[in-house]
Short mmCIF file of all heavy atoms in Angstrom, two decimals:
data_model
loop_
_atom_site.label_atom_id
_atom_site.label_comp_id
_atom_site.label_asym_id
_atom_site.label_seq_id
_atom_site.Cartn_x
_atom_site.Cartn_y
_atom_site.Cartn_z
N LYS A 1 24.16 -36.98 -1.36
CA LYS A 1 25.48 -37.43 -0.93
C LYS A 1 25.77 -36.90 0.46
O LYS A 1 25.62 -35.72 0.74
CB LYS A 1 26.54 -36.94 -1.92
CG LYS A 1 27.92 -37.52 -1.67
CD LYS A 1 28.90 -37.09 -2.76
CE LYS A 1 30.28 -37.70 -2.51
NZ LYS A 1 31.25 -37.30 -3.58
N ALA A 2 26.18 -37.79 1.34
CA ALA A 2 26.44 -37.42 2.73
C ALA A 2 27.59 -36.43 2.82
O ALA A 2 28.57 -36.49 2.07
CB ALA A 2 26.77 -38.67 3.54
N THR A 3 27.46 -35.50 3.77
CA THR A 3 28.56 -34.57 4.05
C THR A 3 29.64 -35.31 4.83
O THR A 3 29.44 -36.42 5.34
CB THR A 3 28.06 -33.37 4.87
OG1 THR A 3 27.64 -33.85 6.17
CG2 THR A 3 26.89 -32.68 4.19
N ALA A 4 30.80 -34.67 4.95
CA ALA A 4 31.90 -35.29 5.70
C ALA A 4 31.50 -35.52 7.15
O ALA A 4 31.82 -36.57 7.74
CB ALA A 4 33.13 -34.39 5.62
N ALA A 5 30.78 -34.55 7.72
CA ALA A 5 30.35 -34.69 9.12
C ALA A 5 29.36 -35.84 9.28
O ALA A 5 29.44 -36.61 10.25
CB ALA A 5 29.72 -33.38 9.60
N GLU A 6 28.44 -35.98 8.33
CA GLU A 6 27.46 -37.07 8.40
C GLU A 6 28.13 -38.43 8.23
O GLU A 6 27.78 -39.40 8.91
CB GLU A 6 26.38 -36.86 7.33
CG GLU A 6 25.45 -35.70 7.64
CD GLU A 6 24.50 -35.40 6.50
OE1 GLU A 6 24.84 -35.69 5.33
OE2 GLU A 6 23.41 -34.84 6.77
N LYS A 7 29.10 -38.50 7.33
CA LYS A 7 29.84 -39.75 7.15
C LYS A 7 30.54 -40.15 8.45
O LYS A 7 30.55 -41.33 8.82
CB LYS A 7 30.87 -39.61 6.03
CG LYS A 7 30.27 -39.57 4.64
CD LYS A 7 31.37 -39.43 3.58
CE LYS A 7 30.78 -39.39 2.18
NZ LYS A 7 31.84 -39.22 1.15
N GLN A 8 31.11 -39.16 9.13
CA GLN A 8 31.83 -39.44 10.37
C GLN A 8 30.87 -39.92 11.46
O GLN A 8 31.18 -40.87 12.19
CB GLN A 8 32.57 -38.19 10.84
CG GLN A 8 33.39 -38.37 12.10
CD GLN A 8 34.53 -39.37 11.94
OE1 GLN A 8 34.94 -39.69 10.81
NE2 GLN A 8 35.05 -39.88 13.04
N ILE A 9 29.71 -39.28 11.56
CA ILE A 9 28.70 -39.68 12.56
C ILE A 9 28.29 -41.14 12.35
O ILE A 9 28.23 -41.92 13.30
CB ILE A 9 27.48 -38.76 12.49
CG1 ILE A 9 27.83 -37.37 13.02
CG2 ILE A 9 26.30 -39.34 13.28
CD1 ILE A 9 26.75 -36.32 12.75
N LEU A 10 28.02 -41.50 11.11
CA LEU A 10 27.58 -42.86 10.81
C LEU A 10 28.73 -43.87 10.94
O LEU A 10 28.53 -45.00 11.40
CB LEU A 10 26.98 -42.93 9.41
CG LEU A 10 25.66 -42.15 9.24
CD1 LEU A 10 25.23 -42.13 7.78
CD2 LEU A 10 24.56 -42.78 10.09
N LYS A 11 29.93 -43.44 10.56
CA LYS A 11 31.10 -44.34 10.65
C LYS A 11 31.36 -44.74 12.10
O LYS A 11 31.71 -45.89 12.39
CB LYS A 11 32.32 -43.65 10.05
CG LYS A 11 33.56 -44.54 10.03
CD LYS A 11 34.74 -43.81 9.40
CE LYS A 11 35.99 -44.68 9.40
NZ LYS A 11 37.16 -43.97 8.80
N LEU A 12 31.19 -43.79 13.02
CA LEU A 12 31.41 -44.08 14.44
C LEU A 12 30.45 -45.15 14.95
O LEU A 12 30.74 -45.85 15.93
CB LEU A 12 31.25 -42.80 15.27
CG LEU A 12 32.36 -41.76 15.12
CD1 LEU A 12 32.00 -40.47 15.85
CD2 LEU A 12 33.69 -42.31 15.66
N GLN A 13 29.30 -45.28 14.30
CA GLN A 13 28.31 -46.29 14.68
C GLN A 13 28.41 -47.55 13.82
O GLN A 13 27.60 -48.47 13.98
CB GLN A 13 26.89 -45.71 14.56
CG GLN A 13 26.63 -44.52 15.45
CD GLN A 13 26.56 -44.89 16.92
OE1 GLN A 13 26.33 -46.05 17.28
NE2 GLN A 13 26.79 -43.92 17.79
N GLY A 14 29.37 -47.57 12.89
CA GLY A 14 29.52 -48.72 12.00
C GLY A 14 28.41 -48.82 10.97
O GLY A 14 28.05 -49.92 10.52
N LEU A 15 27.87 -47.66 10.55
CA LEU A 15 26.74 -47.64 9.63
C LEU A 15 27.15 -47.05 8.29
O LEU A 15 28.00 -46.15 8.22
CB LEU A 15 25.59 -46.81 10.21
CG LEU A 15 24.90 -47.39 11.45
CD1 LEU A 15 24.04 -46.34 12.13
CD2 LEU A 15 24.07 -48.61 11.08
N PRO A 16 26.55 -47.51 7.18
CA PRO A 16 26.88 -46.96 5.86
C PRO A 16 26.27 -45.58 5.66
O PRO A 16 25.32 -45.20 6.35
CB PRO A 16 26.25 -47.97 4.90
CG PRO A 16 25.10 -48.55 5.66
CD PRO A 16 25.56 -48.60 7.11
N SER A 17 26.80 -44.83 4.70
CA SER A 17 26.32 -43.47 4.45
C SER A 17 25.87 -43.26 3.01
O SER A 17 25.75 -42.13 2.55
CB SER A 17 27.40 -42.45 4.81
OG SER A 17 28.58 -42.70 4.05
N ASP A 18 25.62 -44.36 2.29
CA ASP A 18 25.30 -44.22 0.87
C ASP A 18 23.80 -44.31 0.57
O ASP A 18 23.40 -44.36 -0.58
CB ASP A 18 26.05 -45.28 0.05
CG ASP A 18 25.80 -46.70 0.54
OD1 ASP A 18 25.08 -46.85 1.55
OD2 ASP A 18 26.31 -47.65 -0.07
N GLY A 19 22.95 -44.33 1.61
CA GLY A 19 21.51 -44.43 1.35
C GLY A 19 20.71 -43.29 1.96
O GLY A 19 19.51 -43.44 2.22
N LEU A 20 21.35 -42.16 2.19
CA LEU A 20 20.68 -41.05 2.88
C LEU A 20 19.64 -40.38 1.98
O LEU A 20 19.83 -40.23 0.78
CB LEU A 20 21.70 -40.03 3.35
CG LEU A 20 22.81 -40.52 4.29
CD1 LEU A 20 23.64 -39.35 4.78
CD2 LEU A 20 22.23 -41.29 5.45
N LYS A 21 18.55 -39.95 2.62
CA LYS A 21 17.50 -39.23 1.89
C LYS A 21 17.02 -38.05 2.72
O LYS A 21 17.12 -38.04 3.94
CB LYS A 21 16.30 -40.15 1.61
CG LYS A 21 16.57 -41.28 0.64
CD LYS A 21 15.30 -42.10 0.41
CE LYS A 21 15.56 -43.25 -0.55
NZ LYS A 21 14.32 -44.07 -0.76
N HIS A 22 16.49 -37.05 2.03
CA HIS A 22 15.76 -35.98 2.71
C HIS A 22 14.58 -35.59 1.84
O HIS A 22 14.52 -35.92 0.66
CB HIS A 22 16.66 -34.78 3.03
CG HIS A 22 17.28 -34.14 1.82
ND1 HIS A 22 18.40 -33.36 1.90
CD2 HIS A 22 16.96 -34.16 0.50
CE1 HIS A 22 18.73 -32.93 0.71
NE2 HIS A 22 17.86 -33.40 -0.16
N GLY A 23 13.62 -34.90 2.45
CA GLY A 23 12.44 -34.48 1.71
C GLY A 23 12.62 -33.06 1.19
O GLY A 23 13.03 -32.17 1.93
N ALA A 24 12.31 -32.87 -0.08
CA ALA A 24 12.45 -31.54 -0.67
C ALA A 24 11.35 -30.60 -0.22
O ALA A 24 11.51 -29.37 -0.28
CB ALA A 24 12.43 -31.66 -2.20
N GLY A 25 10.24 -31.16 0.27
CA GLY A 25 9.09 -30.34 0.67
C GLY A 25 8.03 -30.34 -0.42
O GLY A 25 8.34 -30.05 -1.59
N CYS A 26 6.81 -30.68 -0.06
CA CYS A 26 5.72 -30.73 -1.03
C CYS A 26 4.40 -30.49 -0.31
O CYS A 26 4.36 -30.30 0.91
CB CYS A 26 5.71 -32.08 -1.76
SG CYS A 26 5.36 -33.51 -0.68
N ASP A 27 3.30 -30.53 -1.06
CA ASP A 27 1.99 -30.31 -0.46
C ASP A 27 1.64 -31.40 0.55
O ASP A 27 0.99 -31.13 1.56
CB ASP A 27 0.91 -30.24 -1.55
CG ASP A 27 1.02 -28.98 -2.40
OD1 ASP A 27 1.67 -28.02 -1.93
OD2 ASP A 27 0.47 -28.97 -3.51
N ALA A 28 2.05 -32.62 0.26
CA ALA A 28 1.70 -33.74 1.14
C ALA A 28 2.27 -33.57 2.54
O ALA A 28 1.66 -33.98 3.53
CB ALA A 28 2.18 -35.07 0.53
N CYS A 29 3.46 -32.97 2.62
CA CYS A 29 4.11 -32.79 3.93
C CYS A 29 4.09 -31.34 4.39
O CYS A 29 4.80 -30.98 5.33
CB CYS A 29 5.54 -33.32 3.89
SG CYS A 29 6.63 -32.49 2.71
N ARG A 30 3.31 -30.51 3.73
CA ARG A 30 3.22 -29.08 4.03
C ARG A 30 4.59 -28.39 3.99
O ARG A 30 4.88 -27.50 4.79
CB ARG A 30 2.56 -28.84 5.39
CG ARG A 30 1.15 -29.39 5.50
CD ARG A 30 0.47 -28.86 6.75
NE ARG A 30 -0.81 -29.50 6.99
CZ ARG A 30 -1.94 -29.20 6.34
NH1 ARG A 30 -1.92 -28.29 5.40
NH2 ARG A 30 -3.05 -29.83 6.61
N GLY A 31 5.44 -28.87 3.10
CA GLY A 31 6.73 -28.24 2.91
C GLY A 31 7.78 -28.59 3.94
O GLY A 31 8.89 -28.06 3.90
N THR A 32 7.47 -29.52 4.87
CA THR A 32 8.42 -29.84 5.94
C THR A 32 9.46 -30.86 5.52
O THR A 32 10.53 -30.95 6.13
CB THR A 32 7.68 -30.38 7.17
OG1 THR A 32 7.05 -31.62 6.84
CG2 THR A 32 6.64 -29.39 7.66
N GLY A 33 9.15 -31.68 4.51
CA GLY A 33 10.05 -32.77 4.13
C GLY A 33 9.83 -34.03 4.94
O GLY A 33 10.49 -35.05 4.70
N TYR A 34 8.90 -33.97 5.90
CA TYR A 34 8.59 -35.14 6.74
C TYR A 34 7.09 -35.42 6.71
O TYR A 34 6.27 -34.49 6.66
CB TYR A 34 9.00 -34.88 8.20
CG TYR A 34 10.47 -34.65 8.42
CD1 TYR A 34 10.97 -33.34 8.51
CD2 TYR A 34 11.36 -35.71 8.56
CE1 TYR A 34 12.32 -33.11 8.74
CE2 TYR A 34 12.71 -35.48 8.79
CZ TYR A 34 13.18 -34.18 8.87
OH TYR A 34 14.52 -33.95 9.10
#
């Protein structure tokens, strides 16, 4: 769920905030989430 600050950043660009993702970190990404 987007934070208030993230919602504001996306709202200023006219973009939705209900599809945000992040990586928890795993072996495939060496723990970076990317």
Side-chain angles (χ1 to χ4, degrees):
K1 188 175 181 179
T3 66
E6 289 173 333
K7 287 180 180 179
Q8 182 64 19
I9 289 169
L10 293 173
K11 184 179 179 181
L12 289 173
Q13 298 290 338
L15 293 166
S17 58
D18 54 358
L20 302 186
K21 292 182 181 179
H22 60 201
C26 64
D27 290 342
C29 61
R30 300 192 188 283
T32 64
Y34 298 97

